[in-house]
Amino acid sequence: MRMWFVCRFCCPAAQSNSNPEWEAKVLEYFKGQLREKESHSWVPSLNDVPLHYLKPNSLVKFRCLVQDMFDPEFYMGVYETVDPSTKANVLRCGKYKDVTECGVDLNSRNTVTAERQTFYCVPIPGESPWAKEISFLSARVVPSTSYVPSRQKRSYEEDDDDMDTQPQKQREPHTVMMGGGGEHPHGNGDSKRQETEAPSSQTTAPSDCSSHLDLNFPLPGERGPACLVKVYEGLDSFKLNDTLEIYGILSVNPVLTVIVYPHRDPSLLLLNPTESMETPEEQRAHDPPASLVPRLHMLYARPLQHNNPLLPSAPTEDQSAFVSSFLVEMASVRAELLAYLTHVLLGDGLAAEYLLLHLISNVYTRRDVLPLGKFTLNLSGCPLNSYTERLYQIVQQLVPCSYRLSMSLHTMNSMRLVPKKDYVANRLVSGALQLARNTSLFLDETQLEQGQLDSSGVRNITALGNLISWQKVDYDFSYHQMEFPCNINVLVTSEGRSLLPSDCQVPLQPQVTPPNMEEYLTTIHMAQFTSQINKFRVYLSLARTLDYSISDEVTKAVEDDFVDMRKDDPQSVTAEDLHRMLVVARLLSLSLGQTTLSRDGWMRAKHIDMLRRSRTEQQKSLNGNEP
Amino acid sequence: MSSPTSTPVGSKPSSDGLASPPSQRRRGQDSSNGDLPAMPTSPATDIASPAVHDTSLFSSPRRSVLPSEVDMSSPLIGVRGTPVRQRPDLGSARKAPQVDLHTELPSADGAVASEQAAGQKLVIWGTDVNVGTCKEKFQRFLQRFIDPTSNEDENAGLDLNEPLYMQKLEEISVIGEPVLNVNCSHVQSFDADLYRQLISYPQEVIPTFDMAVNELFFERFPDSILEHQIQVRPYNALKTRNMRSLNPEDIDQMITISGMVIRTSQLIPEMQEAFFQCQVCAFSTRVEVDRGRIAEPAVCRNCNTTHSLALIHNRSAFSDKQMIKVQESPDDMPAGQTPHTTIVYAHNDLVDKVQPGDRINITGIYRAVPMRENPRQSTVKSVYKTHIDVIHFRKTDEKRLHGLDEDSDQKLFTEERVQTLKELAAKPDVYERLSSALAPSIYEQEDIKKGILLQLFGGTRKDFSQTGRGNFRAEVNILLCGDPGTSKSQLLQYVFNLVPRGQYTSGKGSSAVGLTAYVMKDPETKQLVLQTGALVLSDNGICCIDEFDKMSDSTRSVLHEVMEQQTLSIAKAGIICQLNARTSVLAAANPVESQWNPKKTTIENIQLPHTLLSRFDLIFLMLDPQDEAYDRRLAHHLVALYYQSEEQIEEEFLDMAVLKDYIAYARTYINPRLNEEASQALIEAYVDMRKIGSGRGMVSAYPRQLESLIRLAEAHAKVRFSDKVETVDVEEAKRLHREALKQSATDPRTGFVDISILTTGMSATARKRKEEVAQALKKMIQSRGKTPAMKYQQLFDDLRGQSEAAITKDMFEEALRALADEDYLTVTGKTVRLL
């Protein structure tokens, strides 16, 4: 019921216009309501519910990544129009709406111009299937119930216009118009197909017909609705690639679809240069059909620290209670997870330990250009033949967001990794490196064969190198590059040492050689209960968020240790090694749920680093010619 | 003025009680009644007579009573019919909310009338602009404004103590280009109220300025013949500098923003005035375009036939128009957001003035146009389309191809900021403070940081082109070499992030073309375009080149020119040119053997040609010092890095933004010159350096080193914000230079500093030693008597046995080669033959 409130609340307030604080009150009201327990589950999610099941102008939520930020636009915050029944001038509110009612008096002195900005938002790229499943399973009930009452409720709606009641009918003329224009043969097909197909296929992802229109998803093969989010408040607080949960008013008015007339009247063009200035590409990117890319007027957005549905998302009291209860379990879960990973990594306990550390790593701060806390792992010596693919599937089961980039020569040469500004369409064309924070990027170097990298291949490799070393991606703005910091966990699997830089290389030493790899891994995977896997998932997401410090005493010990190590053989330990060992020590402590570094922790970190180094030395002497 | 319905000014000069109608409305009326002043495309003759009349009216500024109607769109018809050119930049898209005549007039009238009664003050409707006062004020400004401190390039060659704009008018009369650019900051300093009006009501005030300037001009130069009347183009409105800060309040105001052109459209002919002809009686009428629409006259006024008028295209008046898309310049943006773009319309002669890629400052009027209603739809989108009607362009990188462009980089500092910077500069330890603020995450390496700091400031530019030497390089080049993993790249990254015009490339990935410039065919226009590479892009900045040693030889060779002459010559695809590349190079190189070999010289370690090395002012080694105290400090630093909170860090070090501003300020405003003592000190230092070597028969300094010293001393003076280079500066330059030399040019065999390692690639002792071995070998062969052929291995063993010092195979081979060069012997396979 709550979602009908928006329409009612806004309009009367604007009409009276007596209370200038109404805007703040609206926001406060919604924030207050949404803060209540369980309130989130009332609101249907755009990620999950097919668009045509949602009532226009209702409150919906959308979990997304800010893919592009369009230019700010000015709109009529308040406008004057003539009421057709009473013939009196009435003021209306334009906020949270895309369109005005007819007969706007453009010369009215009461017109208030206000500013808002549009963000192009896509679902979080690479979100693991399990994360989607869990987060929407609970909410599944909502859309169906919310839709049915809407039909009954309609009679109560005073300002009811045809627009809302029958979206299907409403779309018909619009489809015809586009077809008649002949400009959008695809678009025409799209809308029709959606109309006919979608109701029967409720289980599949919504609006999967969007493939014809380039929805600009960062990763290939992604699905889900993209959304144009209109932002009214706090424009500066949002950044590109932020992950947000947005609560807002859905708008799918067909007027929003720009009809590109193929044979535009030349005189019209002459006299109307403002409109003709936009290229068709730009119009398509900025005003896509509302049936494919709905508009969402933001009321409230919650920045997401993570998208793990098993964890309480807001830093509230629940969360601290949750954390403290889980901390007790942490060591035991760690042991189980380690055992699991050891199995997966063919009995290699050390590699499993490092993989675990890698999975909880996180760039927690930056010192000038240096990102701290990143821990890129290079697993070398991986068996060929789909082992890496299987390994990825297991990682995907554990983390909420991941993507496997198969570094074959062809993909490196042809794939767009770095987002690029398209000035013709005036939008940022996404690339595979436009990812949300803490996404696991799995680089499969075993797929790389000998051959020639062309210039775009070299650029892609450089971009990956920059990502690993500096945790930043230089977006291509054609006339200049712009640096966007990121926080991505990169795991490189390779046969020999990777050609990409890494913080730490672990040669895999399989203890078992199962005759049938597929079967072996599947059995391991099947042996885990869902509850067990869920524990791992919570563990990995939680360990990353813990605070960490080093006491003065331990600092001293570490310093002494470093000096001692250097005394014996200055070549053996460099500043870089110390950097790495400090990261390992940090991750090791956090993985055990300890928030300060202990002496033991440091010794353990030293120990496993030594084991690893001796293993790489060994590998070197085996191979001989490796540098 | 000549429209029949509006009162002709000449015939009713009293303009007593009647309303002063709103400017917008009046313009609207004009449009419906044809008779507009001539356009350049259709020079009409019928306006000549009223023109004379008007001039007589306007040329007497003494007039106390103002005309009630001032037609803004046609300010004045000049003497001898100098035609007016319409200003679509001011009026093509009018203010959207227009006054409804019938409902608004009474109240507006009342207001104006009462005001008038009170103080005889007439203002343009909707503003507080009184045309007469405004005109007088502006004329006074033109006649009196003097700016003795001006350093703008436009004012070159003008007498700064004479009224600036009167000289410009004189220039116009000579050159005949009827455009007067007015710096708004001048207006502001002269009359703040006039400035406010100009910013707030440009659409009304600029035509008033036009009138004022034309009156003044034709009074002074009555015989001048201009293409059209002078147009005033204000620029540098201080109101808005940043595209991001534009908001609804700026609509219809004059703004200046900076940005980069990303796209320009084709030329668009825009109809200014439609020409209609009656099909029945051939009566013609003109209709001005109003807000993008033409009101087609329904009835012919001559024969009263309805719907008989047809549009005659080729007699209608058009003006040029171009759409330009401008993107926010990267420096203005908050981190983590994408740049904004704005649409800009250029009109008439401003069309095709800018190209994509240009960085420009635009002054114009910000407009918002509501979406047009579509009759087929019941609702409309509630957004406005915004754009800027440009009045003035100013390219910020215009002068890159020639001359100096110190002004263009001018960064605006607030008074407070300058004060803080000056306070900082006054501190005795400012040099140390700044150097430690540089890349705080990198431990120690104080001298290297100091070197880079001096590089960031750079020396003073000197021009010796009159004496035939050309420009002296003012930029300091630095090479860092050393073990891998000694945070060289990190240092480079930091510098690249610090300077506004920094470029970062890796030697591995860059080609000569990517560094310099290449010619590309534009896919749209098929035009050849010169695309500039990293070195040209970092003109006036720093080019950071990582993995310098991995760069191919051909790529490196282009650096020779850049690093000494500071230019780039290009001869490609019919484009031959020389681009400025006054860039400092900060390069990092790894030793060839992955680990630095202390037994070898710098050249041997990094395998770079000495011709290139000698162009670096400072070459630093970043080595692991391998000493316990250092290790302890390093460990402490690193551990602290991992647990200190942000605030603690903030306290310890200067903010990066302050450092940036400090450098920008010093680079722009401080140009230190050597004083007497400093020059003496430099001479002594140079002579000393020469002396060191001469004792052992080596040259230990070349003029290049002296130039380096001068640059470093100047940079150090800049750090202190001092206009004089003093002895302290020279001392520090000497110290730093010596430190760098000590590291990079020490002969590993003798332990002496030997500059010839860097200048010739080989230390003097090494050369001497080579000669000695060759002589010993020759002597030995001679002592054997006549043996035409010898075994290679045997000869080597003999020589080793004979010599006191250890002789390696390399040395032996070198000696053989030296003797072969003398045509004393030849080596074929394993045998050595005498000749």
Side-chain angles (χ1 to χ4, degrees), chain B residues 327-357:
Chain B
Q327 182 181 279
E328 214 173 353
S329 56
D331 324 337
D332 289 343
M333 286 178 35
Q337 303 210 345
T338 53
H340 289 174
T341 53
T342 304
I343 295 176
V344 172
Y345 287 114
H347 302 274
N348 291 336
D349 57 329
L350 291 177
V351 166
D352 270 342
K353 275 276 155 63
V354 291
Q355 297 288 322

mmCIF file of all heavy atoms in Angstrom, chain B residues 327-357:
data_model
loop_
_atom_site.group_PDB
_atom_site.id
_atom_site.type_symbol
_atom_site.label_atom_id
_atom_site.label_comp_id
_atom_site.label_asym_id
_atom_site.label_seq_id
_atom_site.Cartn_x
_atom_site.Cartn_y
_atom_site.Cartn_z
ATOM 1 N N GLN B 327 33.485 19.637 -23.558
ATOM 2 C CA GLN B 327 33.566 18.768 -22.384
ATOM 3 C C GLN B 327 34.418 19.439 -21.325
ATOM 4 O O GLN B 327 35.373 20.132 -21.632
ATOM 5 C CB GLN B 327 34.187 17.436 -22.791
ATOM 6 C CG GLN B 327 34.264 16.451 -21.660
ATOM 7 C CD GLN B 327 34.906 15.158 -22.112
ATOM 8 O OE1 GLN B 327 34.289 14.295 -22.713
ATOM 9 N NE2 GLN B 327 36.185 15.030 -21.827
ATOM 10 N N GLU B 328 34.048 19.211 -20.120
ATOM 11 C CA GLU B 328 34.776 19.706 -18.969
ATOM 12 C C GLU B 328 36.242 19.307 -19.076
ATOM 13 O O GLU B 328 36.544 18.191 -19.453
ATOM 14 C CB GLU B 328 34.180 18.996 -17.769
ATOM 15 C CG GLU B 328 34.116 19.737 -16.535
ATOM 16 C CD GLU B 328 33.334 18.925 -15.514
ATOM 17 O OE1 GLU B 328 32.768 17.885 -15.847
ATOM 18 O OE2 GLU B 328 33.301 19.349 -14.406
ATOM 19 N N SER B 329 37.138 20.206 -18.718
ATOM 20 C CA SER B 329 38.533 19.794 -18.787
ATOM 21 C C SER B 329 38.845 18.944 -17.562
ATOM 22 O O SER B 329 38.299 19.155 -16.485
ATOM 23 C CB SER B 329 39.450 21.010 -18.866
ATOM 24 O OG SER B 329 39.225 21.849 -17.790
ATOM 25 N N PRO B 330 39.718 17.958 -17.760
ATOM 26 C CA PRO B 330 39.933 16.960 -16.709
ATOM 27 C C PRO B 330 40.375 17.560 -15.376
ATOM 28 O O PRO B 330 40.107 16.981 -14.330
ATOM 29 C CB PRO B 330 41.022 16.060 -17.284
ATOM 30 C CG PRO B 330 41.288 16.512 -18.660
ATOM 31 C CD PRO B 330 40.448 17.676 -18.986
ATOM 32 N N ASP B 331 41.025 18.716 -15.423
ATOM 33 C CA ASP B 331 41.537 19.286 -14.175
ATOM 34 C C ASP B 331 40.404 19.785 -13.273
ATOM 35 O O ASP B 331 40.575 19.903 -12.069
ATOM 36 C CB ASP B 331 42.489 20.466 -14.445
ATOM 37 C CG ASP B 331 43.316 20.252 -15.675
ATOM 38 O OD1 ASP B 331 43.485 19.079 -16.048
ATOM 39 O OD2 ASP B 331 43.782 21.236 -16.262
ATOM 40 N N ASP B 332 39.259 20.099 -13.880
ATOM 41 C CA ASP B 332 38.179 20.702 -13.102
ATOM 42 C C ASP B 332 37.298 19.675 -12.412
ATOM 43 O O ASP B 332 36.347 20.047 -11.741
ATOM 44 C CB ASP B 332 37.260 21.518 -14.030
ATOM 45 C CG ASP B 332 37.939 22.770 -14.523
ATOM 46 O OD1 ASP B 332 38.944 23.145 -13.910
ATOM 47 O OD2 ASP B 332 37.458 23.369 -15.497
ATOM 48 N N MET B 333 37.579 18.408 -12.622
ATOM 49 C CA MET B 333 36.599 17.425 -12.191
ATOM 50 C C MET B 333 36.905 16.817 -10.850
ATOM 51 O O MET B 333 38.038 16.551 -10.537
ATOM 52 C CB MET B 333 36.593 16.291 -13.185
ATOM 53 C CG MET B 333 35.937 16.662 -14.446
ATOM 54 S SD MET B 333 36.075 15.284 -15.475
ATOM 55 C CE MET B 333 35.919 14.014 -14.297
ATOM 56 N N PRO B 334 35.875 16.556 -10.083
ATOM 57 C CA PRO B 334 36.102 15.789 -8.863
ATOM 58 C C PRO B 334 36.427 14.348 -9.246
ATOM 59 O O PRO B 334 35.968 13.859 -10.276
ATOM 60 C CB PRO B 334 34.763 15.866 -8.138
ATOM 61 C CG PRO B 334 33.755 16.198 -9.170
ATOM 62 C CD PRO B 334 34.458 16.909 -10.269
ATOM 63 N N ALA B 335 37.219 13.703 -8.432
ATOM 64 C CA ALA B 335 37.638 12.342 -8.758
ATOM 65 C C ALA B 335 36.438 11.413 -8.751
ATOM 66 O O ALA B 335 35.492 11.605 -7.999
ATOM 67 C CB ALA B 335 38.670 11.876 -7.750
ATOM 68 N N GLY B 336 36.465 10.439 -9.627
ATOM 69 C CA GLY B 336 35.446 9.405 -9.601
ATOM 70 C C GLY B 336 34.169 9.752 -10.323
ATOM 71 O O GLY B 336 33.221 9.005 -10.255
ATOM 72 N N GLN B 337 34.113 10.884 -10.994
ATOM 73 C CA GLN B 337 32.917 11.201 -11.756
ATOM 74 C C GLN B 337 33.292 11.369 -13.222
ATOM 75 O O GLN B 337 34.452 11.566 -13.548
ATOM 76 C CB GLN B 337 32.278 12.484 -11.232
ATOM 77 C CG GLN B 337 31.963 12.375 -9.764
ATOM 78 C CD GLN B 337 30.769 13.200 -9.361
ATOM 79 O OE1 GLN B 337 30.308 14.065 -10.076
ATOM 80 N NE2 GLN B 337 30.258 12.921 -8.186
ATOM 81 N N THR B 338 32.303 11.305 -14.065
ATOM 82 C CA THR B 338 32.600 11.466 -15.483
ATOM 83 C C THR B 338 32.460 12.935 -15.865
ATOM 84 O O THR B 338 31.725 13.672 -15.225
ATOM 85 C CB THR B 338 31.622 10.638 -16.337
ATOM 86 O OG1 THR B 338 30.296 10.988 -15.959
ATOM 87 C CG2 THR B 338 31.836 9.176 -16.133
ATOM 88 N N PRO B 339 33.172 13.346 -16.897
ATOM 89 C CA PRO B 339 33.103 14.760 -17.277
ATOM 90 C C PRO B 339 31.741 15.128 -17.853
ATOM 91 O O PRO B 339 31.100 14.317 -18.512
ATOM 92 C CB PRO B 339 34.207 14.905 -18.325
ATOM 93 C CG PRO B 339 34.457 13.538 -18.829
ATOM 94 C CD PRO B 339 34.113 12.598 -17.730
ATOM 95 N N HIS B 340 31.323 16.332 -17.606
ATOM 96 C CA HIS B 340 30.081 16.832 -18.180
ATOM 97 C C HIS B 340 30.339 17.429 -19.556
ATOM 98 O O HIS B 340 31.439 17.861 -19.852
ATOM 99 C CB HIS B 340 29.498 17.929 -17.295
ATOM 100 C CG HIS B 340 28.945 17.399 -16.009
ATOM 101 N ND1 HIS B 340 28.478 18.221 -15.025
ATOM 102 C CD2 HIS B 340 28.777 16.146 -15.564
ATOM 103 C CE1 HIS B 340 28.045 17.488 -14.021
ATOM 104 N NE2 HIS B 340 28.218 16.226 -14.314
ATOM 105 N N THR B 341 29.296 17.456 -20.356
ATOM 106 C CA THR B 341 29.420 18.130 -21.649
ATOM 107 C C THR B 341 28.330 19.184 -21.766
ATOM 108 O O THR B 341 27.296 19.101 -21.102
ATOM 109 C CB THR B 341 29.273 17.144 -22.822
ATOM 110 O OG1 THR B 341 28.055 16.421 -22.643
ATOM 111 C CG2 THR B 341 30.407 16.179 -22.881
ATOM 112 N N THR B 342 28.578 20.167 -22.586
ATOM 113 C CA THR B 342 27.612 21.231 -22.805
ATOM 114 C C THR B 342 27.556 21.521 -24.298
ATOM 115 O O THR B 342 28.578 21.437 -24.972
ATOM 116 C CB THR B 342 28.056 22.513 -22.073
ATOM 117 O OG1 THR B 342 28.237 22.198 -20.711
ATOM 118 C CG2 THR B 342 27.027 23.595 -22.194
ATOM 119 N N ILE B 343 26.385 21.864 -24.764
ATOM 120 C CA ILE B 343 26.257 22.249 -26.162
ATOM 121 C C ILE B 343 26.447 23.755 -26.272
ATOM 122 O O ILE B 343 25.927 24.519 -25.462
ATOM 123 C CB ILE B 343 24.872 21.848 -26.699
ATOM 124 C CG1 ILE B 343 24.739 20.328 -26.692
ATOM 125 C CG2 ILE B 343 24.656 22.392 -28.097
ATOM 126 C CD1 ILE B 343 23.382 19.840 -27.119
ATOM 127 N N VAL B 344 27.211 24.144 -27.259
ATOM 128 C CA VAL B 344 27.491 25.558 -27.467
ATOM 129 C C VAL B 344 27.128 25.890 -28.901
ATOM 130 O O VAL B 344 27.414 25.107 -29.807
ATOM 131 C CB VAL B 344 28.996 25.832 -27.234
ATOM 132 C CG1 VAL B 344 29.357 27.226 -27.631
ATOM 133 C CG2 VAL B 344 29.367 25.575 -25.790
ATOM 134 N N TYR B 345 26.467 27.013 -29.104
ATOM 135 C CA TYR B 345 26.188 27.440 -30.471
ATOM 136 C C TYR B 345 27.063 28.632 -30.816
ATOM 137 O O TYR B 345 27.100 29.615 -30.083
ATOM 138 C CB TYR B 345 24.719 27.838 -30.622
ATOM 139 C CG TYR B 345 23.802 26.642 -30.622
ATOM 140 C CD1 TYR B 345 22.905 26.431 -29.600
ATOM 141 C CD2 TYR B 345 23.878 25.710 -31.646
ATOM 142 C CE1 TYR B 345 22.073 25.325 -29.603
ATOM 143 C CE2 TYR B 345 23.059 24.597 -31.647
ATOM 144 C CZ TYR B 345 22.154 24.407 -30.625
ATOM 145 O OH TYR B 345 21.361 23.307 -30.634
ATOM 146 N N ALA B 346 27.747 28.516 -31.925
ATOM 147 C CA ALA B 346 28.550 29.636 -32.405
ATOM 148 C C ALA B 346 27.819 30.241 -33.596
ATOM 149 O O ALA B 346 27.189 29.528 -34.369
ATOM 150 C CB ALA B 346 29.918 29.149 -32.827
ATOM 151 N N HIS B 347 27.891 31.548 -33.710
ATOM 152 C CA HIS B 347 27.164 32.225 -34.768
ATOM 153 C C HIS B 347 28.115 33.043 -35.632
ATOM 154 O O HIS B 347 29.175 33.459 -35.167
ATOM 155 C CB HIS B 347 26.119 33.162 -34.169
ATOM 156 C CG HIS B 347 25.134 32.457 -33.293
ATOM 157 N ND1 HIS B 347 24.008 31.861 -33.774
ATOM 158 C CD2 HIS B 347 25.127 32.219 -31.960
ATOM 159 C CE1 HIS B 347 23.343 31.309 -32.786
ATOM 160 N NE2 HIS B 347 23.998 31.508 -31.662
ATOM 161 N N ASN B 348 27.692 33.286 -36.851
ATOM 162 C CA ASN B 348 28.401 34.138 -37.802
ATOM 163 C C ASN B 348 29.896 33.861 -37.863
ATOM 164 O O ASN B 348 30.296 32.743 -38.125
ATOM 165 C CB ASN B 348 28.121 35.610 -37.507
ATOM 166 C CG ASN B 348 26.675 35.949 -37.839
ATOM 167 O OD1 ASN B 348 26.061 35.276 -38.657
ATOM 168 N ND2 ASN B 348 26.133 36.953 -37.192
ATOM 169 N N ASP B 349 30.704 34.859 -37.555
ATOM 170 C CA ASP B 349 32.132 34.661 -37.793
ATOM 171 C C ASP B 349 32.791 33.772 -36.745
ATOM 172 O O ASP B 349 33.961 33.456 -36.862
ATOM 173 C CB ASP B 349 32.849 36.008 -37.899
ATOM 174 C CG ASP B 349 32.637 36.860 -36.677
ATOM 175 O OD1 ASP B 349 31.553 36.729 -36.065
ATOM 176 O OD2 ASP B 349 33.540 37.635 -36.328
ATOM 177 N N LEU B 350 32.064 33.394 -35.719
ATOM 178 C CA LEU B 350 32.667 32.484 -34.744
ATOM 179 C C LEU B 350 32.565 31.026 -35.194
ATOM 180 O O LEU B 350 33.140 30.138 -34.577
ATOM 181 C CB LEU B 350 32.005 32.649 -33.381
ATOM 182 C CG LEU B 350 32.296 33.963 -32.675
ATOM 183 C CD1 LEU B 350 31.530 34.062 -31.379
ATOM 184 C CD2 LEU B 350 33.783 34.104 -32.408
ATOM 185 N N VAL B 351 31.835 30.829 -36.264
ATOM 186 C CA VAL B 351 31.709 29.478 -36.795
ATOM 187 C C VAL B 351 33.073 29.017 -37.313
ATOM 188 O O VAL B 351 33.813 29.807 -37.897
ATOM 189 C CB VAL B 351 30.660 29.462 -37.925
ATOM 190 C CG1 VAL B 351 30.726 28.177 -38.725
ATOM 191 C CG2 VAL B 351 29.284 29.653 -37.345
ATOM 192 N N ASP B 352 33.395 27.773 -37.041
ATOM 193 C CA ASP B 352 34.657 27.176 -37.481
ATOM 194 C C ASP B 352 35.894 27.841 -36.889
ATOM 195 O O ASP B 352 36.963 27.779 -37.461
ATOM 196 C CB ASP B 352 34.762 27.184 -39.023
ATOM 197 C CG ASP B 352 34.175 25.907 -39.594
ATOM 198 O OD1 ASP B 352 34.028 24.943 -38.833
ATOM 199 O OD2 ASP B 352 33.871 25.875 -40.795
ATOM 200 N N LYS B 353 35.740 28.462 -35.762
ATOM 201 C CA LYS B 353 36.907 29.058 -35.100
ATOM 202 C C LYS B 353 37.637 28.026 -34.247
ATOM 203 O O LYS B 353 38.792 28.212 -33.919
ATOM 204 C CB LYS B 353 36.464 30.239 -34.219
ATOM 205 C CG LYS B 353 36.343 31.547 -34.969
ATOM 206 C CD LYS B 353 37.684 32.240 -35.085
ATOM 207 C CE LYS B 353 37.774 33.176 -36.261
ATOM 208 N NZ LYS B 353 36.846 34.295 -36.207
ATOM 209 N N VAL B 354 36.943 26.977 -33.857
ATOM 210 C CA VAL B 354 37.589 25.991 -32.996
ATOM 211 C C VAL B 354 37.483 24.604 -33.616
ATOM 212 O O VAL B 354 36.602 24.331 -34.419
ATOM 213 C CB VAL B 354 36.964 25.964 -31.581
ATOM 214 C CG1 VAL B 354 37.288 27.230 -30.844
ATOM 215 C CG2 VAL B 354 35.479 25.753 -31.640
ATOM 216 N N GLN B 355 38.403 23.770 -33.241
ATOM 217 C CA GLN B 355 38.470 22.399 -33.740
ATOM 218 C C GLN B 355 38.347 21.436 -32.565
ATOM 219 O O GLN B 355 38.692 21.796 -31.447
ATOM 220 C CB GLN B 355 39.831 22.167 -34.397
ATOM 221 C CG GLN B 355 40.099 23.019 -35.606
ATOM 222 C CD GLN B 355 39.284 22.591 -36.787
ATOM 223 O OE1 GLN B 355 39.088 21.398 -36.999
ATOM 224 N NE2 GLN B 355 38.768 23.540 -37.537
ATOM 225 N N PRO B 356 37.896 20.228 -32.821
ATOM 226 C CA PRO B 356 37.879 19.258 -31.727
ATOM 227 C C PRO B 356 39.278 19.081 -31.141
ATOM 228 O O PRO B 356 40.262 19.065 -31.872
ATOM 229 C CB PRO B 356 37.413 17.970 -32.406
ATOM 230 C CG PRO B 356 36.642 18.409 -33.570
ATOM 231 C CD PRO B 356 37.270 19.682 -34.036
ATOM 232 N N GLY B 357 39.326 18.997 -29.853
ATOM 233 C CA GLY B 357 40.616 18.856 -29.182
ATOM 234 C C GLY B 357 41.142 20.162 -28.610
ATOM 235 O O GLY B 357 41.996 20.150 -27.743
#
